[in-house]
Amino acid sequence: MNFAGTATADWFDWGAALVNTVGQTVLDEIVAPRGSWSAIVRQGDTLTIVDVGGNQSADFLVYAAADTAVRYSVQHTIAAQRNAYLRTGAVLLSNAGGPLMTLVGNEVDRQDTIGGACSKESNSLRYGHHTVHEHACRENFLAEGARWGLGARDLVSNINWFMNVPVETDGSLGIVDGLSAPGKRVALRAERDVLVVVSNCPQMNNPCNDFNPTPLRMIVTSPEFEAVSA
Amino acid sequence: MSTPRTNHTTNTVLAAQSDARAQGNLLAHVMPYVPADTSPFLPNDVPAMSAVWAETVQGGGYAHRIVARGTRIRFEDVSGDACAHLVLFNADAPRERLNVADTQKVFWQAYPTVGHPLLSGEGRVLATIVSDTSAHHDAFAGPVSSAQAVQRFGAASAESASPSGEALFGLAASKQGLSRRDLPPSVAFFQGVRVESDGQLRFTGSAGPGSIVEILAEMPLILLVANAPHALDPRAEYTVSELRIHAWRDSATTRDHARWRVTPERERAYSNTQDYISSRGIA
Ligand SMILES: [Zn+2]
């Protein structure tokens, strides 16, 4: 990992791959604060996301690489596990009900599936029209998705790694101070070739990034080489 | 023995025509009533002249419709086992559609009921829930998936006895020129879910026969409705009963309605909607 030219701070923890630690590193990249990122993760490979600065929401969408009309379904995912939050073992299901990725490692409880992405449009409702020209995750998803032929039709409810959305007994819900910390990680194994699109949330009106956008580190690793007999 | 074959005489064009026309006045348990004011189930408080849509949707069936801004749509769970999964689109530009995450997050509330606006991802109100005698709804888990339907009931396709939400929404979307890419998470009326503090989803089922939900179209809408079992419905059999829909002309929420300004978020949502409607020249 080359950190040259990357803004850093003394509390950052750049971490390392959470699984496949003896396997081959396929990719190791930084998502700048407020920026976006995407990559194909091959079946069997694992993506580790490192919350370098702590409590930085990583807004996350995943599609079948071969057919992006097959994409993450929050409904099928949480119905199958009968829980609104993602923990180790959670399987991210598609709109067809099949597995896209499995959460094979997780260092933060209660990963969010409810909050969706911030947008200029919803910011106008949540905080007022003076926030409409602030950058937002929907902008990142549209810009990054366009590189793969994706547009507004392809944006569905996303996962927010490292973001905390409690639901109270009366149904009150909201984004509150996070449960993550510098260096906390999630690791996702691809169950088929998938396209992952991430927005490193730039929101400055709620605690989804502790009011301080920080970098994310994305590491894709392959399992150990296995002996293949001819 | 009487069979469909022996019940029809169709050996000439004239005979086939007579045979077809003889069916015209039959009634079915599930059917649309056209024109809408001929519905035998038209609610007493609905002026017949303003009715625009009347239909009883089969359990395991779907409906789709374009309605004008200001249309009020009543869903009734006739027998107590309906589950109306709903997706809404701006009829002018269907890339604008229901956004369940924004609908919950913006209003700080997981459980939509009377007064709750159903938001698009464009910061506008597609429809407002204006009546609710059920309060058993779900904006989390949605309908039975195709994979789940195959596993639990042996089939998921529309022609099977156990269509998935995906199969029904897929056909409804196609009828409106939309496809799989256009289908976001839906909301479900008449089968409830509650979230425990640890995130567990608890199925609360139905409020019983005769429950009613009404939504008011705040924009010109495409509605897709899939009447399919809820994903968390634990019953071993594929169970979903008929859903009745009536819609009539009413008026959209305007600045003089109390509901416009109940909260700052709602006021800005209705203002954004009015802003769009005004520049679009709809009202
Ligand atoms: Zn964001």
PDB file of all heavy atoms in Angstrom, chain A residues 191-211:
ATOM      1  N   GLU A 191     -19.942 -14.172  -4.004  1.00  0.00           N
ATOM      2  CA  GLU A 191     -20.493 -15.498  -4.291  1.00  0.00           C
ATOM      3  C   GLU A 191     -20.665 -15.711  -5.796  1.00  0.00           C
ATOM      4  O   GLU A 191     -20.994 -16.801  -6.245  1.00  0.00           O
ATOM      5  CB  GLU A 191     -21.827 -15.690  -3.565  1.00  0.00           C
ATOM      6  CG  GLU A 191     -21.741 -15.517  -2.056  1.00  0.00           C
ATOM      7  CD  GLU A 191     -20.780 -16.501  -1.381  1.00  0.00           C
ATOM      8  OE1 GLU A 191     -20.375 -17.500  -2.017  1.00  0.00           O
ATOM      9  OE2 GLU A 191     -20.412 -16.251  -0.214  1.00  0.00           O
ATOM     10  N   ARG A 192     -20.483 -14.648  -6.565  1.00  0.00           N
ATOM     11  CA  ARG A 192     -20.403 -14.693  -8.016  1.00  0.00           C
ATOM     12  C   ARG A 192     -19.628 -13.443  -8.413  1.00  0.00           C
ATOM     13  O   ARG A 192     -19.305 -12.628  -7.544  1.00  0.00           O
ATOM     14  CB  ARG A 192     -21.805 -14.720  -8.650  1.00  0.00           C
ATOM     15  CG  ARG A 192     -22.684 -13.553  -8.236  1.00  0.00           C
ATOM     16  CD  ARG A 192     -24.117 -13.683  -8.732  1.00  0.00           C
ATOM     17  NE  ARG A 192     -24.183 -13.551 -10.198  1.00  0.00           N
ATOM     18  CZ  ARG A 192     -25.308 -13.648 -10.895  1.00  0.00           C
ATOM     19  NH1 ARG A 192     -26.454 -13.899 -10.268  1.00  0.00           N
ATOM     20  NH2 ARG A 192     -25.326 -13.516 -12.207  1.00  0.00           N
ATOM     21  N   ASP A 193     -19.304 -13.279  -9.674  1.00  0.00           N
ATOM     22  CA  ASP A 193     -18.611 -12.050 -10.071  1.00  0.00           C
ATOM     23  C   ASP A 193     -19.557 -10.875  -9.855  1.00  0.00           C
ATOM     24  O   ASP A 193     -20.666 -10.872 -10.392  1.00  0.00           O
ATOM     25  CB  ASP A 193     -18.193 -12.110 -11.537  1.00  0.00           C
ATOM     26  CG  ASP A 193     -17.095 -13.141 -11.799  1.00  0.00           C
ATOM     27  OD1 ASP A 193     -16.609 -13.756 -10.824  1.00  0.00           O
ATOM     28  OD2 ASP A 193     -16.732 -13.320 -12.978  1.00  0.00           O
ATOM     29  N   VAL A 194     -19.127  -9.902  -9.082  1.00  0.00           N
ATOM     30  CA  VAL A 194     -20.014  -8.782  -8.762  1.00  0.00           C
ATOM     31  C   VAL A 194     -19.334  -7.449  -9.061  1.00  0.00           C
ATOM     32  O   VAL A 194     -18.102  -7.333  -9.045  1.00  0.00           O
ATOM     33  CB  VAL A 194     -20.470  -8.798  -7.277  1.00  0.00           C
ATOM     34  CG1 VAL A 194     -21.345 -10.007  -6.982  1.00  0.00           C
ATOM     35  CG2 VAL A 194     -19.276  -8.739  -6.327  1.00  0.00           C
ATOM     36  N   LEU A 195     -20.177  -6.458  -9.315  1.00  0.00           N
ATOM     37  CA  LEU A 195     -19.733  -5.068  -9.432  1.00  0.00           C
ATOM     38  C   LEU A 195     -20.114  -4.368  -8.132  1.00  0.00           C
ATOM     39  O   LEU A 195     -21.288  -4.356  -7.757  1.00  0.00           O
ATOM     40  CB  LEU A 195     -20.421  -4.387 -10.616  1.00  0.00           C
ATOM     41  CG  LEU A 195     -20.296  -2.857 -10.689  1.00  0.00           C
ATOM     42  CD1 LEU A 195     -18.840  -2.432 -10.871  1.00  0.00           C
ATOM     43  CD2 LEU A 195     -21.174  -2.292 -11.807  1.00  0.00           C
ATOM     44  N   VAL A 196     -19.108  -3.815  -7.453  1.00  0.00           N
ATOM     45  CA  VAL A 196     -19.361  -3.070  -6.216  1.00  0.00           C
ATOM     46  C   VAL A 196     -19.181  -1.581  -6.498  1.00  0.00           C
ATOM     47  O   VAL A 196     -18.185  -1.176  -7.116  1.00  0.00           O
ATOM     48  CB  VAL A 196     -18.389  -3.525  -5.100  1.00  0.00           C
ATOM     49  CG1 VAL A 196     -18.534  -2.627  -3.869  1.00  0.00           C
ATOM     50  CG2 VAL A 196     -18.631  -4.979  -4.733  1.00  0.00           C
ATOM     51  N   VAL A 197     -20.156  -0.778  -6.079  1.00  0.00           N
ATOM     52  CA  VAL A 197     -20.082   0.678  -6.244  1.00  0.00           C
ATOM     53  C   VAL A 197     -20.231   1.302  -4.855  1.00  0.00           C
ATOM     54  O   VAL A 197     -21.171   0.983  -4.130  1.00  0.00           O
ATOM     55  CB  VAL A 197     -21.185   1.202  -7.188  1.00  0.00           C
ATOM     56  CG1 VAL A 197     -21.029   2.702  -7.406  1.00  0.00           C
ATOM     57  CG2 VAL A 197     -21.160   0.458  -8.525  1.00  0.00           C
ATOM     58  N   VAL A 198     -19.271   2.169  -4.506  1.00  0.00           N
ATOM     59  CA  VAL A 198     -19.242   2.743  -3.164  1.00  0.00           C
ATOM     60  C   VAL A 198     -19.181   4.267  -3.237  1.00  0.00           C
ATOM     61  O   VAL A 198     -18.478   4.827  -4.079  1.00  0.00           O
ATOM     62  CB  VAL A 198     -18.020   2.202  -2.375  1.00  0.00           C
ATOM     63  CG1 VAL A 198     -17.773   3.010  -1.103  1.00  0.00           C
ATOM     64  CG2 VAL A 198     -18.224   0.732  -2.032  1.00  0.00           C
ATOM     65  N   SER A 199     -19.951   4.905  -2.366  1.00  0.00           N
ATOM     66  CA  SER A 199     -19.811   6.347  -2.155  1.00  0.00           C
ATOM     67  C   SER A 199     -19.244   6.570  -0.766  1.00  0.00           C
ATOM     68  O   SER A 199     -19.795   6.079   0.217  1.00  0.00           O
ATOM     69  CB  SER A 199     -21.161   7.052  -2.273  1.00  0.00           C
ATOM     70  OG  SER A 199     -21.030   8.389  -1.783  1.00  0.00           O
ATOM     71  N   ASN A 200     -18.147   7.304  -0.703  1.00  0.00           N
ATOM     72  CA  ASN A 200     -17.574   7.671   0.591  1.00  0.00           C
ATOM     73  C   ASN A 200     -18.300   8.936   1.040  1.00  0.00           C
ATOM     74  O   ASN A 200     -18.006  10.040   0.599  1.00  0.00           O
ATOM     75  CB  ASN A 200     -16.071   7.907   0.434  1.00  0.00           C
ATOM     76  CG  ASN A 200     -15.379   7.972   1.785  1.00  0.00           C
ATOM     77  OD1 ASN A 200     -16.030   7.962   2.826  1.00  0.00           O
ATOM     78  ND2 ASN A 200     -14.071   8.051   1.774  1.00  0.00           N
ATOM     79  N   CYS A 201     -19.257   8.750   1.934  1.00  0.00           N
ATOM     80  CA  CYS A 201     -20.311   9.760   2.188  1.00  0.00           C
ATOM     81  C   CYS A 201     -19.771  11.146   2.556  1.00  0.00           C
ATOM     82  O   CYS A 201     -19.036  11.304   3.533  1.00  0.00           O
ATOM     83  CB  CYS A 201     -21.258   9.275   3.282  1.00  0.00           C
ATOM     84  SG  CYS A 201     -22.602  10.444   3.567  1.00  0.00           S
ATOM     85  N   PRO A 202     -20.168  12.172   1.798  1.00  0.00           N
ATOM     86  CA  PRO A 202     -19.713  13.545   2.051  1.00  0.00           C
ATOM     87  C   PRO A 202     -20.648  14.379   2.937  1.00  0.00           C
ATOM     88  O   PRO A 202     -20.405  15.560   3.143  1.00  0.00           O
ATOM     89  CB  PRO A 202     -19.699  14.136   0.635  1.00  0.00           C
ATOM     90  CG  PRO A 202     -20.831  13.456  -0.072  1.00  0.00           C
ATOM     91  CD  PRO A 202     -20.935  12.061   0.541  1.00  0.00           C
ATOM     92  N   GLN A 203     -21.689  13.738   3.473  1.00  0.00           N
ATOM     93  CA  GLN A 203     -22.736  14.459   4.225  1.00  0.00           C
ATOM     94  C   GLN A 203     -22.133  15.272   5.376  1.00  0.00           C
ATOM     95  O   GLN A 203     -21.345  14.759   6.161  1.00  0.00           O
ATOM     96  CB  GLN A 203     -23.732  13.435   4.783  1.00  0.00           C
ATOM     97  CG  GLN A 203     -24.850  13.991   5.623  1.00  0.00           C
ATOM     98  CD  GLN A 203     -25.806  14.888   4.863  1.00  0.00           C
ATOM     99  OE1 GLN A 203     -25.682  16.105   4.901  1.00  0.00           O
ATOM    100  NE2 GLN A 203     -26.743  14.279   4.141  1.00  0.00           N
ATOM    101  N   MET A 204     -22.528  16.525   5.510  1.00  0.00           N
ATOM    102  CA  MET A 204     -22.021  17.377   6.600  1.00  0.00           C
ATOM    103  C   MET A 204     -23.135  17.856   7.536  1.00  0.00           C
ATOM    104  O   MET A 204     -22.951  18.810   8.292  1.00  0.00           O
ATOM    105  CB  MET A 204     -21.276  18.584   6.014  1.00  0.00           C
ATOM    106  CG  MET A 204     -19.921  18.230   5.419  1.00  0.00           C
ATOM    107  SD  MET A 204     -18.813  17.361   6.565  1.00  0.00           S
ATOM    108  CE  MET A 204     -18.394  18.694   7.712  1.00  0.00           C
ATOM    109  N   ASN A 205     -24.291  17.157   7.488  1.00  0.00           N
ATOM    110  CA  ASN A 205     -25.424  17.612   8.307  1.00  0.00           C
ATOM    111  C   ASN A 205     -25.912  16.567   9.298  1.00  0.00           C
ATOM    112  O   ASN A 205     -26.933  16.773   9.961  1.00  0.00           O
ATOM    113  CB  ASN A 205     -26.579  18.041   7.392  1.00  0.00           C
ATOM    114  CG  ASN A 205     -26.158  19.144   6.436  1.00  0.00           C
ATOM    115  OD1 ASN A 205     -25.954  20.281   6.845  1.00  0.00           O
ATOM    116  ND2 ASN A 205     -25.978  18.806   5.171  1.00  0.00           N
ATOM    117  N   ASN A 206     -25.226  15.416   9.373  1.00  0.00           N
ATOM    118  CA  ASN A 206     -25.587  14.410  10.378  1.00  0.00           C
ATOM    119  C   ASN A 206     -24.341  13.581  10.710  1.00  0.00           C
ATOM    120  O   ASN A 206     -23.321  13.688  10.029  1.00  0.00           O
ATOM    121  CB  ASN A 206     -26.784  13.566   9.905  1.00  0.00           C
ATOM    122  CG  ASN A 206     -26.429  12.582   8.815  1.00  0.00           C
ATOM    123  OD1 ASN A 206     -25.459  11.831   8.926  1.00  0.00           O
ATOM    124  ND2 ASN A 206     -27.209  12.561   7.748  1.00  0.00           N
ATOM    125  N   PRO A 207     -24.416  12.751  11.756  1.00  0.00           N
ATOM    126  CA  PRO A 207     -23.187  12.095  12.245  1.00  0.00           C
ATOM    127  C   PRO A 207     -22.768  10.845  11.473  1.00  0.00           C
ATOM    128  O   PRO A 207     -21.978  10.048  11.992  1.00  0.00           O
ATOM    129  CB  PRO A 207     -23.554  11.757  13.701  1.00  0.00           C
ATOM    130  CG  PRO A 207     -25.027  11.585  13.689  1.00  0.00           C
ATOM    131  CD  PRO A 207     -25.561  12.545  12.655  1.00  0.00           C
ATOM    132  N   CYS A 208     -23.265  10.641  10.231  1.00  0.00           N
ATOM    133  CA  CYS A 208     -22.937   9.413   9.502  1.00  0.00           C
ATOM    134  C   CYS A 208     -21.443   9.322   9.186  1.00  0.00           C
ATOM    135  O   CYS A 208     -20.949   8.253   8.842  1.00  0.00           O
ATOM    136  CB  CYS A 208     -23.771   9.292   8.232  1.00  0.00           C
ATOM    137  SG  CYS A 208     -23.301  10.456   6.963  1.00  0.00           S
ATOM    138  N   ASN A 209     -20.750  10.446   9.261  1.00  0.00           N
ATOM    139  CA  ASN A 209     -19.279  10.418   9.129  1.00  0.00           C
ATOM    140  C   ASN A 209     -18.627  11.253  10.234  1.00  0.00           C
ATOM    141  O   ASN A 209     -17.511  11.746  10.064  1.00  0.00           O
ATOM    142  CB  ASN A 209     -18.857  10.904   7.740  1.00  0.00           C
ATOM    143  CG  ASN A 209     -19.525  12.239   7.402  1.00  0.00           C
ATOM    144  OD1 ASN A 209     -19.936  12.978   8.303  1.00  0.00           O
ATOM    145  ND2 ASN A 209     -19.625  12.541   6.126  1.00  0.00           N
ATOM    146  N   ASP A 210     -19.351  11.396  11.324  1.00  0.00           N
ATOM    147  CA  ASP A 210     -18.855  12.173  12.460  1.00  0.00           C
ATOM    148  C   ASP A 210     -18.563  13.628  12.059  1.00  0.00           C
ATOM    149  O   ASP A 210     -17.694  14.268  12.643  1.00  0.00           O
ATOM    150  CB  ASP A 210     -17.599  11.507  13.050  1.00  0.00           C
ATOM    151  CG  ASP A 210     -17.545  11.623  14.559  1.00  0.00           C
ATOM    152  OD1 ASP A 210     -18.611  11.838  15.176  1.00  0.00           O
ATOM    153  OD2 ASP A 210     -16.434  11.517  15.121  1.00  0.00           O
ATOM    154  N   PHE A 211     -19.281  14.114  11.062  1.00  0.00           N
ATOM    155  CA  PHE A 211     -19.111  15.484  10.558  1.00  0.00           C
ATOM    156  C   PHE A 211     -17.681  15.751  10.089  1.00  0.00           C
ATOM    157  O   PHE A 211     -17.189  16.875  10.169  1.00  0.00           O
ATOM    158  CB  PHE A 211     -19.538  16.510  11.630  1.00  0.00           C
ATOM    159  CG  PHE A 211     -20.986  16.383  12.033  1.00  0.00           C
ATOM    160  CD1 PHE A 211     -21.368  15.543  13.079  1.00  0.00           C
ATOM    161  CD2 PHE A 211     -21.976  17.074  11.345  1.00  0.00           C
ATOM    162  CE1 PHE A 211     -22.705  15.409  13.444  1.00  0.00           C
ATOM    163  CE2 PHE A 211     -23.314  16.949  11.712  1.00  0.00           C
ATOM    164  CZ  PHE A 211     -23.680  16.119  12.756  1.00  0.00           C
TER     165      PHE A 211
END
